[in-house]
Amino acid sequence: MDNSKFWRNIKIKVNTSVKEAATEKELTVLLSLLDKSTYSGLRDSIAILLLYKTGIRIKTLGALREQNIEYAFEITRRDNEIA
């Protein structure tokens, strides 16, 4: 493969502004506004935390399935205690 043809179509953005990330305090406020006792509130809370903690993109989050998650620890919760 001729490398000169490959690199001809590559466009690199430089000097573009990057938005500041949310602070922990802003994240806490946002999560406090969601009703985690409902399915949609819990779902949205988990999505926000995944985006914030891992840095994955929204499109990747939307494509994420359970089989994509590797559970490092097998922890179950029973009445506020970890078993």
Side-chain angles (χ1 to χ4, degrees):
M1 178 177 169
D2 184 11
N3 285 336
S4 62
K5 289 181 182 178
F6 174 77
W7 290 106
R8 192 173 301 156
N9 294 325
I10 302 297
K11 296 178 183 172
I12 299 173
K13 294 181 182 180
V14 292
N15 297 330
T16 57
S17 61
V18 177
K19 293 181 182 181
E20 279 189 43
T23 64
E24 289 281 336
K25 183 177 180 182
E26 292 169 332
L27 183 67
T28 302
V29 169
L30 177 60
L31 291 172
S32 72
L33 298 172
L34 298 171
D35 181 6
K36 292 173 225 38
S37 67
T38 65
Y39 172 80
S40 59
L42 182 61
R43 176 202 60 205
D44 294 348
S45 297
I46 292 169
I48 290 167
L49 284 170
L50 274 170
L51 290 167
Y52 185 79
K53 296 286 186 178
T54 65
I56 64 173
R57 296 180 175 163
I58 292 175
K59 184 176 180 179
T60 305
L61 177 66
L64 192 63
R65 298 292 174 254
E66 186 176 357
Q67 63 263 23
N68 303 124
I69 300 171
E70 189 173 313
Y71 296 99
F73 304 101
E74 293 182 19
I75 298 175
T76 58
R77 287 187 176 262
R78 279 181 277 154
D79 298 321
N80 294 326
E81 69 179 58
I82 297 177

